[in-house]
Amino acid sequence: MTHPYAPDTPGTTPGTVPVGGWTPWGTWDPAAGRPVAVPAPPAPAAAPSRVLPAALLAGGIVLGLLLAAVIGALVLRGAADDVGRAAGEAMGEAMGEALYGGSVPSGYYGGGGVPGPVEQSEPVPPGELGPDPVLDAYAQGCFDGDLQSCDDLFVESPPLSQYEEYATTCGGRVKAWTVPYCTELD
């Protein structure tokens, strides 16, 4: 059978398609005199999914790291507590020697109180401590005997300022840093 677009195949007459031969339109069916659609090839078998094993592996790694972190934290916590206690005791002894010329009992500030009588003197007028009117009012209240004003002045004043220095002496009543809170002098 002759087809106008049939390729020239060796062993056939030019312009003809051999039986069962391929054309751009499918397989040539000589009985029908036209090309017939090529049946679709079977679908390839589905490859096994790799998403689930990868997710399980990632989840296992995350769980393992989390477990290692928790165990590490528990192991190191006890050691850190011991180091912190030793450092605190050493600092307390060093401060006691610097401030008092001797050691201060362990737990000096732990109870919040002053260990025994503190040497006090008459208050000193604040003078010119800085330009802040609110802090000046706290300083004046501290001088006038309102020891809560001394503590408020300490909390509100800038670090290393004259306001802070005045507050640490409770208005000139005690040596600097003798008491943790001026209200404990009442």
Side-chain angles (χ1 to χ4, degrees):
M1 170 153 268
T2 303
H3 190 276
Y5 301 110
D8 292 333
T9 307
T12 62
T13 308
T16 64
V17 177
V19 174
W22 180 86
T23 67
W25 306 277
T27 303
W28 186 261
D29 182 3
R34 62 182 172 76
V36 190
V38 177
S49 173
R50 293 187 180 156
V51 174
L52 182 60
L56 289 175
L57 179 62
I61 289 172
V62 169
L63 184 62
L65 290 173
L66 182 62
L67 184 61
V70 168
I71 290 173
L74 291 175
V75 168
L76 294 176
R77 181 177 178 226
D81 286 346
D82 294 342
V83 169
R85 261 190 223 94
E89 289 173 3
M91 286 176 59
E93 290 175 11
M95 284 181 64
E97 289 179 21
L99 294 174
Y100 304 107
S103 66
V104 175
S106 179
Y108 173 70
Y109 290 115
V114 177
V118 175
E119 186 179 332
Q120 295 186 40
S121 58
E122 291 298 315
V124 176
E128 182 64 33
L129 300 176
D132 190 320
V134 173
L135 297 180
D136 286 338
Y138 282 138
Q140 186 60 47
C142 180
F143 172 74
D144 292 339
D146 180 11
L147 298 179
Q148 181 62 50
S149 290
C150 300
D151 292 340
D152 293 340
L153 177 63
F154 177 78
V155 170
E156 298 294 327
S157 63
L160 304 175
S161 66
Q162 290 181 336
Y163 290 115
E164 183 185 61
E165 185 177 336
Y166 187 74
T168 61
T169 65
C170 300
R173 289 176 178 80
V174 295
K175 291 181 182 178
W177 302 104
T178 302
V179 294
Y181 301 103
C182 294
T183 51
E184 293 182 2
L185 294 176
D186 284 337

